Structure formats: structure tokens, C-alpha cells
């Protein structure tokens, strides 16, 4: 039998990384393995979402006894469950839950990390079979080990993340995660049920031709954002264009595509909602971490996303993220409009 395997699974990769740091405890690898397991379970249910209309009415229940339509709650419970039963996580905060949850057993109280996540981002797209995703950020707790996690463990600047990642449930399912050492992507191989290294050492191209924004809100954006969108539309061969507008309405897919191909994603504030829609802790910080490690940039239009001191678990922020040179041009438009 030919056992000449070159492709690492997610677990093999995290263990390989661990072996380079003999002093490491393996808790982060264990946490990432837990997240990979929850992702596989969610993937199975997301893949069946289209069968709801065939197999039963909207109120039908799945094997876990849950309402099939409430996939975001199912996803939340899967991620929370694996982290609670693992050995690395002292508590979680989730876009689906009002307050943080500190796990109150001895193993959890002695654990090193807390995890914040959006269990199923873009879940409004499930009904129409569009890609959706999970987003997560991992922080070293600031409260002492041995005690129960506290709110300050969760209200840390994004800069403090030790790892962040996302899962895209798309035409194939991918898990991408980054630490300060780099960003790597793993595609789920359904034949063996394992995430398998497919995108090693992802770098965000410094420039691109894709801009992603909800054009329907154009007249509600500030002058600087309008100026930049206008500049994107006017690009031609002489100045790096023409540009393409791509907006799925599923941030995980939009930012994933731009990370790989080069591009910019924007969710600005509007007249009615100056802070925009996206959540700093569950959506913006993890992506800002990943994209910056990969060489890109992320700001709220004024300051670096990763340097914002959070004051509330569910706080929102405008978000601009993507390729370095495109972000520089955007920042130019924003500051010109202010002066
Ligand atoms: P959700 O967390 O309720 O799913 O909303 C977040 C999603 C993002 O994935 C996406 O970029 C955005 O909402 C789209 O919003 P809009 O339809 O306002 O453009
Ligand atoms: Mg969301």
C-alpha cells in the first residue's frame, strides 16, 4: 500500500506546530480541534438545510430534537458544547447569546483561553442556498487561572487574539485560521471527514480588482465612502481597473474571496446607523486579525479595528478590510472628505 501522504490534516498540522514549541501546553491545538469537530457537525446540518421543504414543514425537528430552521441556534450549541467539554476554554461569548458564559467546572476554570464567535453568520441566506459561515476569535484570559472567567476576559482589544478563524460552508467547506505565525486554510475532505491542508500560508495580495459593499445604501453613506465607491467605478486600464463589484451579503464568503484574490470589503455606517451593522467582537476582530497577519489592513474608517477597546459585548462598528493598497486609497478618500 502506498502511504506516501504529503497533505496534512488540521489535527496533524496543529500538532506539527506544537512540536516546534516544546514548552507549549497543547491547549490551543486542542481548542482548534474542538472547533473543527463542531464545524463538521454544523456542516452536516447546513448541507441538509435545502431538504427541509421536502422532508417536512418548517417546524420539523432534526435528530437532535431541534427545529430545523433554527440552524443558527444549533450551530451555537455545537460550538459552545465542544468548548465546554474540552480542556482549553474557560468561557464563551456568542452573537446568539446576550451575555458571556463562564464555564463553572474545575477543568474549565483552570483553562487558559476564552473564545468569542458568531456561530452562523449570514444565516438569512440559508433559504436560498448561499454560502454562510462561522467566525471565531481566541484570547488568553486576563483573570487568573483557577477562577471563573469574568467580563474583562471577553472585552479585550482584537490585538490580544492568539488565534482567529472562520469556516465557510460553501461549494466546499473550508476552515481558515491564523495565529501570529501565519494563516492557513483547510478544506473538508468528505471522503475521510477531515479538514485537509489546501491553502498553506495565505497572503492577501497587496492590490486587487474587487470591491464589496451594499450599493443599495450608497446615498446613506458618508461623503468619503461615496467618493471611494465612485473612484472604484471609474477605474480603467490606466489605473489598475476595471474593478468588479461583488457582494454576496455573507461576510465570511465576501472577505474569504477578497483575502485570496485581493479586494476590499466595506460595511460603513449610514445616516440611520452610524455604527453600521457588524459586531466588533464576533465578526470584525477575527477577520481583522486574519487579514492583517496575511498582509492586509482593517479599520473602522478612523482607527485600526484591532486597537478599538471594546466596552460592550455586542457593540457594532463600521468595517473596512482588505488589500493594503486599496485600503490606502480608501483612507485617502475618507480623510479628504473630512478636511
Ligand atoms: P448576521 O450576523 O445577522 O448574519 O448579519 C451579518 C451579515 C454579514 O455576513 C453580511 O456582510 C451583512 O450581514 C449583510 O448585510 P446587508 O444585507 O445589510 O448588506
Ligand atoms: Mg453575524
Amino acid at each position: 500500500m502506498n502511504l506516501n501522504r504529503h497533505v496534512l490534516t488540521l489535527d496533524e498540522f496543529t500538532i506539527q506546530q506544537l512540536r516546534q514549541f516544546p514548552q507549549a501546553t497543547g491547549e490551543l491545538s486542542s481548542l482548534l480541534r474542538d472547533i473543527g469537530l463542531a464545524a463538521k457537525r454544523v456542516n452536516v446540518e447546513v448541507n441538509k438545510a435545502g431538504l427541509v421543504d421536502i422532508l417536512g414543514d418548517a417546524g420539523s425537528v432534526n435528530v437532535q430534537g431541534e427545529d430545523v430552521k433554527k440552524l443558527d441556534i444549533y450551530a451555537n450549541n455545537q460550538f459552545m458544547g465542544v468548548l465546554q467539554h474540552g480542556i482549553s476554554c474557560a468561557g464563551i461569548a456568542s452573537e446568539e447569546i446576550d451575555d458571556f458564559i463562564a464555564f463553572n467546572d474545575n477543568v474549565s476554570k483552570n483553562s487558559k483561553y476564552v473564545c468569542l464567535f458568531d456561530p452562523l453568520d449570514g444565516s438569512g441566506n440559508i433559504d436560498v442556498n448561499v454560502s454562510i459561515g462561522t467566525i471565531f476569535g481566541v484570547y488568553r484570559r486576563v483573570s487568573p487561572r483557577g477562577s471563573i472567567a469574568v467580563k474583562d476576559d471577553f472585552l479585550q482589544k482584537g490585538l490580544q487574539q492568539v488565534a482567529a478563524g472562520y469556516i465557510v460552508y460553501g461549494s466546499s467547506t473550508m476552515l481558515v485560521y491564523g495565529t501570529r505565525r501565519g494563516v492557513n486554510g483547510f478544506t473538508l475532505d468528505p471522503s475521510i471527514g477531515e479538514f485537509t491542508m489546501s491553502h498553506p500560508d495565505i497572503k492577501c495580495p497587496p492590490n486587487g480588482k474587487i470591491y464589496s459593499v451594499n450599493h443599495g445604501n450608497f446615498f446613506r453613506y458618508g461623503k468619503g465612502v461615496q467618493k471611494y465607491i465612485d473612484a472604484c467605478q471609474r477605474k480603467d486600464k490606466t489605473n489598475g481597473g476595471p474593478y468588479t463589484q461583488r457582494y454576496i451579503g455573507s461576510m465570511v464568503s465576501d472577505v474569504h474571496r477578497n483575502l485570496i484574490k485581493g479586494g476590499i470589503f466595506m460595511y460603513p455606517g449610514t445616516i440611520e446607523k452610524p455604527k453600521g451593522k457588524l459586531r466588533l467582537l464576533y465578526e470584525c476582530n477575527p477577520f481583522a486579525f486574519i487579514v492583517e497577519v496575511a498582509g492586509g489592513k482593517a479599520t473602522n474608517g478612523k482607527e485600526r479595528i484591532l486597537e478599538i477597546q471594546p466596552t460592550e459585548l455586542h457593540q457594532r462598528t463600521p468595517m473596512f478590510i482588505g488589500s493594503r493598497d486599496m485600503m490606502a486609497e480608501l483612507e485617502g478618500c475618507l480623510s479628504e472628505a473630512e478636511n
Side-chain angles (χ1 to χ4, degrees):
M1 191 170 29
N2 180 7
L3 288 178
N4 183 16
R5 294 170 57 232
H6 296 287
V7 185
L8 293 175
T9 66
L10 173 65
D11 292 352
E12 287 173 325
F13 177 76
T14 54
I15 288 166
Q16 190 195 63
Q17 298 283 299
L18 187 63
R19 288 171 70 99
Q20 293 172 24
F21 292 95
Q23 73 282 13
T25 59
E27 281 181 77
L28 185 61
S29 310
S30 166
L31 188 145
L32 290 165
R33 192 171 56 233
D34 294 341
I35 286 178
L37 173 62
K40 284 188 251 181
R41 290 183 179 151
V42 172
N43 180 59
V44 169
E45 293 303 314
V46 168
N47 280 175
K48 286 194 294 200
L51 293 171
V52 172
D53 291 341
I54 301 167
L55 298 180
D57 60 23
S60 64
V61 289
N62 62 17
V63 281
Q64 283 77 23
E66 290 164 309
D67 187 329
V68 187
K69 284 270 176 183
K70 291 184 179 145
L71 260 181
D72 36 14
I73 304 297
Y74 174 80
N76 181 71
N77 293 344
Q78 289 305 321
F79 283 97
M80 190 168 75
V82 292
L83 293 167
Q84 183 160 20
H85 296 120
I87 56 159
S88 321
C89 188
I92 59 107
S94 161
E95 194 184 290
E96 290 294 333
I97 305 175
D98 286 344
D99 207 354
F100 69 94
I101 295 182
F103 303 141
N104 199 7
D105 59 281
N106 276 336
V107 174
S108 302
K109 284 196 283 190
N110 279 294
S111 296
K112 198 174 183 178
Y113 299 110
V114 295
C115 186
L116 290 81
F117 54 83
D118 180 352
L120 213 53
D121 183 65
S123 55
N125 286 320
I126 294 173
D127 287 353
V128 285
N129 208 4
V130 167
S131 298
I132 49 181
T134 298
I135 313 165
F136 63 91
V138 181
Y139 297 76
R140 196 167 284 129
R141 62 189 294 190
V142 292
S143 57
R145 274 193 188 214
S147 61
I148 193 151
V150 298
K151 196 166 188 177
D152 281 350
D153 294 326
F154 299 90
L155 293 180
Q156 299 190 56
K157 291 182 181 177
L159 266 182
Q160 303 299 332
Q161 287 170 107
V162 292
Y166 58 87
I167 298 117
V168 200
Y169 309 98
S171 43
S172 55
T173 293
M174 265 191 87
L175 185 152
V176 175
Y177 88 89
T179 63
R180 287 205 177 84
R181 306 180 70 205
V183 179
N184 291 281
F186 302 82
T187 300
L188 184 62
D189 178 347
S191 63
I192 56 168
E194 292 286 352
F195 284 104
T196 305
M197 172 76 86
S198 54
H199 295 63
D201 197 19
I202 295 172
K203 298 282 182 230
C204 181
N207 221 326
K209 290 178 189 284
I210 300 171
Y211 72 105
S212 309
V213 68
N214 187 337
H215 257 285
N217 289 332
F218 182 86
F219 293 107
R220 295 181 199 92
Y221 295 144
K223 288 274 174 291
V225 174
Q226 289 181 350
K227 192 173 159 65
Y228 180 68
I229 294 174
D230 188 67
C232 289
Q233 291 174 323
R234 289 178 196 279
K235 294 278 179 193
D236 58 29
K237 277 188 192 150
T238 63
N239 54 7
Y243 276 11
T244 297
Q245 202 274 351
R246 291 277 180 272
Y247 189 71
I248 299 170
S250 240
M251 185 193 189
V252 178
S253 310
D254 276 317
V255 180
H256 173 69
R257 181 202 51 237
N258 294 359
L259 171 67
I260 305 285
K261 292 193 165 182
I264 188 167
F265 170 92
M266 302 178 273
Y267 203 109
T270 58
I271 297 163
E272 299 90 351
K273 294 181 181 163
K275 291 185 175 165
K277 175 182 186 185
L278 301 176
R279 317 274 181 154
L280 174 63
L281 296 182
Y282 313 113
E283 292 161 331
C284 302
N285 271 340
F287 272 120
F289 181 88
I290 293 164
V291 167
E292 284 204 7
V293 169
K297 283 194 78 176
T299 77
N300 66 358
K302 292 195 170 75
E303 64 178 319
R304 203 175 156 204
I305 291 285
L306 295 178
E307 286 179 11
I308 300 172
Q309 174 61 56
T311 52
E312 295 165 41
L313 289 172
H314 293 274
Q315 92 188 52
R316 297 175 198 269
T317 176
M319 172 75 154
F320 303 92
I321 184 166
S323 292
R324 192 191 60 206
D325 296 350
M326 298 175 91
M327 286 292 294
E329 187 174 353
L330 165 77
E331 281 165 357
C333 292
L334 296 179
S335 59
E336 269 175 45
E338 271 197 1
N339 296 322

